[in-house]
Coordinates of all heavy atoms in Angstrom, one line a residue:
G189 N 1.7 15.5 1.4 CA 0.4 15.1 2.0 C 0.5 14.2 3.2 O -0.5 13.5 3.5
A190 N 1.6 14.1 3.7 CA 1.8 13.2 4.9 C 0.9 13.7 6.0 O 0.6 14.9 6.1 CB 3.2 13.2 5.4
K191 N 0.4 12.7 6.9 CA -0.4 13.1 8.0 C 0.5 13.2 9.2 O 1.0 12.1 9.7 CB -1.5 12.1 8.1 CG -2.4 12.2 9.3 CD -3.7 12.9 8.9 CE -4.5 13.4 10.1 NZ -4.6 14.8 10.2
L192 N 0.6 14.3 9.8 CA 1.5 14.5 10.9 C 0.7 14.5 12.2 O -0.2 15.3 12.4 CB 2.3 15.8 10.8 CG 3.5 16.1 11.6 CD1 4.6 15.0 11.3 CD2 4.1 17.4 11.1
L193 N 1.0 13.6 13.1 CA 0.3 13.5 14.4 C 1.3 13.6 15.6 O 2.2 12.8 15.7 CB -0.5 12.1 14.5 CG -1.6 12.0 13.5 CD1 -1.9 10.5 13.2 CD2 -2.8 12.7 14.0
P194 N 1.1 14.6 16.4 CA 2.1 14.9 17.5 C 2.0 13.9 18.6 O 0.9 13.6 19.1 CB 1.7 16.3 18.0 CG 0.5 16.7 17.4 CD 0.0 15.7 16.4
I195 N 3.1 13.4 19.1 CA 3.2 12.4 20.2 C 3.6 13.1 21.5 O 3.1 12.8 22.6 CB 4.2 11.3 19.9 CG1 3.7 10.4 18.7 CG2 4.5 10.5 21.1 CD1 2.4 9.7 19.0
D196 N 4.4 14.2 21.4 CA 4.8 14.9 22.6 C 3.5 15.2 23.3 O 2.6 15.7 22.7 CB 5.5 16.2 22.1 CG 6.7 16.6 23.0 OD1 6.7 16.1 24.1 OD2 7.6 17.3 22.5
S197 N 3.5 15.0 24.6 CA 2.2 15.1 25.3 C 1.5 16.5 25.2 O 0.3 16.6 25.1 CB 2.3 14.6 26.8 OG 3.2 15.5 27.4
E198 N 2.4 17.5 25.2 CA 1.9 18.9 25.2 C 1.3 19.1 23.8 O 0.2 19.7 23.7 CB 3.0 19.9 25.4 CG 3.6 19.9 26.8 CD 4.6 18.7 27.0 OE1 4.8 17.9 26.1 OE2 5.1 18.5 28.1
H199 N 2.0 18.7 22.8 CA 1.5 19.0 21.4 C 0.3 18.2 21.1 O -0.6 18.6 20.3 CB 2.6 18.9 20.4 CG 3.8 19.7 20.8 ND1 4.6 19.4 21.9 CD2 4.3 20.9 20.4 CE1 5.5 20.3 22.1 NE2 5.3 21.3 21.2
N200 N 0.3 16.9 21.6 CA -0.9 16.1 21.4 C -2.1 16.7 22.1 O -3.2 16.7 21.6 CB -0.6 14.7 21.9 CG -1.7 13.7 21.7 OD1 -2.6 13.6 22.5 ND2 -1.7 13.1 20.5
A201 N -1.9 17.3 23.3 CA -2.9 17.9 24.0 C -3.5 19.1 23.3 O -4.7 19.3 23.1 CB -2.4 18.4 25.4
I202 N -2.6 19.9 22.7 CA -3.0 21.1 22.0 C -3.8 20.7 20.7 O -4.9 21.2 20.4 CB -1.7 22.0 21.6 CG1 -1.1 22.5 22.8 CG2 -2.1 23.1 20.6 CD1 0.4 23.0 22.6
F203 N -3.2 19.7 20.1 CA -3.9 19.1 18.9 C -5.3 18.7 19.2 O -6.3 19.0 18.5 CB -3.1 17.9 18.4 CG -3.6 17.2 17.2 CD1 -3.1 17.5 15.9 CD2 -4.5 16.2 17.3 CE1 -3.6 16.8 14.8 CE2 -5.0 15.5 16.2 CZ -4.5 15.8 15.0
Q204 N -5.5 18.0 20.4 CA -6.8 17.6 20.8 C -7.8 18.7 21.1 O -9.0 18.6 21.0 CB -6.8 16.7 22.0 CG -6.1 15.3 21.7 CD -6.3 14.3 22.8 OE1 -7.4 14.2 23.3 NE2 -5.3 13.6 23.2
C205 N -7.2 19.9 21.5 CA -8.0 21.1 21.8 C -8.3 22.0 20.7 O -9.0 23.0 20.8 CB -7.4 21.9 23.0 SG -7.2 20.9 24.5
L206 N -7.8 21.6 19.5 CA -8.0 22.5 18.3 C -9.3 22.0 17.6 O -9.8 20.9 17.7 CB -6.9 22.3 17.3 CG -5.5 22.8 17.6 CD1 -4.5 22.5 16.5 CD2 -5.6 24.3 17.9
P207 N -10.0 22.9 16.8 CA -11.1 22.5 16.0 C -10.6 21.4 15.1 O -9.5 21.4 14.6 CB -11.4 23.8 15.2 CG -10.8 24.9 15.9 CD -9.6 24.4 16.6

Side-chain angles (χ1 to χ4, degrees):
K191 174 100 196 112
L192 200 53
L193 293 157
I195 292 297
D196 219 339
S197 59
E198 294 77 3
H199 306 73
N200 183 272
I202 293 161
F203 180 95
Q204 293 195 44
C205 297
L206 291 180

